[in-house]
Amino acid sequence: MNIADKLVREHRLSDTEYAELISNYEDKDLAKYLADEAVRIRKEIYGDAVYARGLIEFTNICKNDCLYCGIRKSNPNAERYRLTKKEILSCCDIGYQLGYRTFVLQGGEDGYYTDERLADIVRTIKTRYPDCALTLSVGERSFESYRLLREAGADRYLLRHETADAEHYRRLHPSEMSLENRMQCLRDLRTLGYQAGAGFMVGSPFQTMDCLAEDLVFLQEFQPEMVGIGPFIPHHDTEFAKEPAGSVELTLFLLSVIRIMLPHVLLPATTALGTLNPIGRERGMLAGANVVMPNLSPVENRKQYELYDNKICTGEEAAECRGCLANRMKSVGFTLVTDRGDYRS
Ligand code: 5AD
Ligand code: FES
C-alpha cells in the first residue's frame, strides 16, 4: 500500500514515512488526492462551516528574542504599543456585534500583563460574553499562571511549538529558550483542561523535511485540538531578513496531511498564508482547513504588530475583514458561521 493511502486509512505514519510523503509535495496528483481526502474528512465532521476567531493583538511588547520575529525585543525599530483593558473590551464589543463568538487575545511576552491583570481581563470578557470562547496566546508562563488564567475563564490556549527538533529549535531561538520548556508548557495547558493549540512555521530557516516529519509525529502523539501552521515570511529587521519565505504549496500539502492525521482538529488558514498568496486562505480551505482568524485589533495598531513583512489586513476595519472573509469562504463553497466553533470529539 502506498504511503498516502496508508495515512488515509490509518491516520498515522512513522517519521520516515512522513518525510518521504512530504518530500513529494510538488507532485500535483498526490497533493490533489490528499486535499480531496482532507476536505472529505473535514466535511464529515464540520460540514461546510468555517469558524471565525476574532484576533486581538493586544501588546507587541515582548521579552523574548526569537530570531524570526519582527517584534523580538532587540528590534529597536518596532514601535511598541499595549492596549488598555478598555480598548480590548471595545474590540470585543465590535467583534461580538459582527458575529464573533471566539476572541483570541494574542500578544508578546509582556511583563506588564501579570497574572492578576490578565486574569481580570479574562474574567471581564467571560462575564460580558458568557456565550463566547476565550483563547489566550501569550507565550510561555508558569503552571500556576496558566492555572489562574484557566480559573478566570480562559477556554483555549495557542502556543506553537515552532519546531519539534531540539537542534532546529536552538537555531531559531536565543539560548534562554528551550524546546523542553515549550513542550512542558503544552503539557501543562493540557493538564489544566485547556483546548490546546500547537503548530509551526513552514520553511523557517534551517528546516529540513526531517524536521517537518518530527513536527508531524509530535502532533500525532500530542493530539492537539488546534494546529496553527503558516509559511515563514522574513521580516526586514531580523537576521533572517534575506532568507527565502516558506512554500505556499508545501503549507497546503501539510494542511491536508494534518487534517487526515487529526480528523477533528481545528485548523486555521493563516494570515501568513494569505499574505504570500492572494487566495491563500481560500486554498487553505480546499486543503482541509476549517478556521480563519480575522483581525479585530484597532486599525491604528495593526501595522505595529508586524511579525513579518507585508502582513495583510493592516489597513482594514474589523467589519471589512469579517465581510471579506465571508465572501472569500463562500467563493470556495464554505460558510463563515457565527459559532464558538468548539472541538468536536
Ligand atoms: N513568519 C511567519 N510566522 C511568524 N511567526 C513569528 N514570526 C514569523 C515570521 N517571520 C509566527 C510564530 C508564532 C506566531 C504567533 O507567529 O510561529 O508562534
Ligand atoms: Fe482582512 Fe480581507 S480578511 S480585508
Side-chain angles (χ1 to χ4, degrees):
M1 167 168 53
N2 79 35
I3 301 179
D5 287 331
K6 185 172 176 191
L7 176 67
V8 169
R9 266 183 241 167
E10 299 177 11
H11 306 284
R12 61 185 302 123
L13 295 174
S14 69
D15 52 354
T16 49
E17 288 169 327
Y18 278 125
E20 190 184 333
L21 180 66
I22 62 181
S23 301
N24 291 310
Y25 76 94
E26 284 169 311
D27 177 338
K28 292 217 159 54
D29 294 334
L30 176 64
K32 174 89 170 80
Y33 170 69
L34 291 175
D36 289 349
E37 286 298 320
V39 170
R40 181 183 62 74
I41 291 171
R42 78 77 100 197
K43 284 198 171 166
E44 263 172 35
I45 298 161
Y46 292 103
D48 68 0
V50 175
Y51 302 117
R53 317 302 195 193
L55 181 64
I56 304 168
E57 299 156 335
F58 71 102
T59 172
N60 73 348
I61 296 170
C62 192
K63 71 172 193 317
N64 275 342
D65 220 7
C66 306
L67 276 66
Y68 44 83
C69 183
I71 62 168
R72 61 196 302 237
K73 82 165 169 216
S74 68
N75 178 8
N77 298 325
E79 249 181 76
R80 306 290 169 171
Y81 74 93
R82 181 185 281 145
L83 301 187
T84 61
K85 177 179 175 185
K86 204 168 147 209
E87 287 169 320
I88 295 171
L89 290 170
S90 130
C91 292
C92 294
D93 276 333
I94 295 167
Y96 191 87
Q97 281 170 36
L98 289 172
Y100 291 98
R101 294 298 176 268
T102 292
F103 301 115
V104 182
L105 293 185
Q106 183 170 88
E109 293 193 12
D110 178 355
Y112 174 84
Y113 286 102
T114 56
D115 296 342
E116 205 178 341
R117 288 195 174 115
L118 204 49
D120 171 57
I121 293 170
V122 168
R123 218 175 284 114
T124 309
I125 294 176
K126 288 293 290 190
T127 308
R128 266 206 212 184
Y129 311 99
D131 54 336
C132 290
L134 184 65
T135 307
L136 291 174
S137 179
V138 289
E140 298 177 17
R141 300 174 81 101
S142 66
F143 183 88
E144 185 53 15
S145 169
Y146 287 150
R147 196 185 64 72
L148 288 166
L149 295 168
R150 175 92 183 107
E151 212 172 69
D155 304 282
R156 309 183 186 139
Y157 204 103
L158 304 176
L159 185 73
R160 290 188 178 181
H161 65 283
E162 310 297 357
T163 170
D165 182 284
E167 171 60 22
H168 185 214
Y169 194 94
R170 277 193 288 277
R171 299 180 79 171
L172 297 180
H173 300 96
S175 55
E176 307 84 70
M177 292 179 74
S178 73
L179 180 59
E180 207 181 332
N181 195 54
R182 198 86 177 165
M183 295 295 187
Q184 186 56 49
C185 287
L186 280 167
R187 286 191 294 269
D188 289 349
L189 292 164
R190 172 56 61 75
T191 304
L192 289 162
Y194 285 93
Q195 294 176 38
F200 55 89
M201 290 177 287
V202 178
S204 59
F206 317 114
Q207 186 179 63
T208 62
M209 287 295 163
D210 288 336
C211 294
L212 286 171
E214 286 181 69
D215 288 320
L216 294 173
V217 169
F218 166 68
L219 295 178
Q220 174 171 288
E221 270 154 26
F222 188 69
Q223 298 271 319
E225 282 83 9
M226 304 166 284
V227 173
I229 68 163
F232 162 75
I233 304 175
H235 184 284
H236 60 277
D237 280 326
T238 64
E239 60 197 79
F240 294 154
K242 297 254 143 47
E243 296 289 330
S247 156
V248 169
E249 301 306 322
L250 179 53
T251 304
L252 295 167
F253 192 94
L254 286 162
L255 285 172
S256 301
V257 170
I258 292 166
R259 167 63 61 201
I260 298 168
M261 181 207 302
L262 305 171
H264 299 261
V265 77
L266 293 159
L267 190 62
T270 55
T271 304
L273 189 57
T275 296
L276 281 193
N277 187 289
I279 53 164
R281 290 164 298 174
E282 292 87 325
R283 295 183 66 199
M285 291 301 133
L286 297 172
N290 65 338
V291 170
V292 287
M293 300 175 68
N295 207 317
L296 268 185
S297 314
V299 176
E300 312 83 85
N301 301 110
R302 288 193 189 182
K303 273 201 176 36
Q304 296 165 290
Y305 201 85
E306 194 189 37
L307 308 183
Y308 47 80
D309 288 344
N310 306 314
K311 189 171 167 216
I312 52 171
C313 293
T314 55
E316 257 57 55
E317 294 292 341
E320 294 172 273
C321 277
R322 170 99 193 177
C324 168
L325 273 167
N327 287 331
R328 285 171 179 271
M329 296 302 107
K330 206 165 150 208
S331 78
V332 282
F334 294 96
T335 311
L336 194 73
V337 296
T338 293
D339 191 297
R340 279 171 53 119
D342 280 302
Y343 185 75
R344 296 197 183 161
S345 49

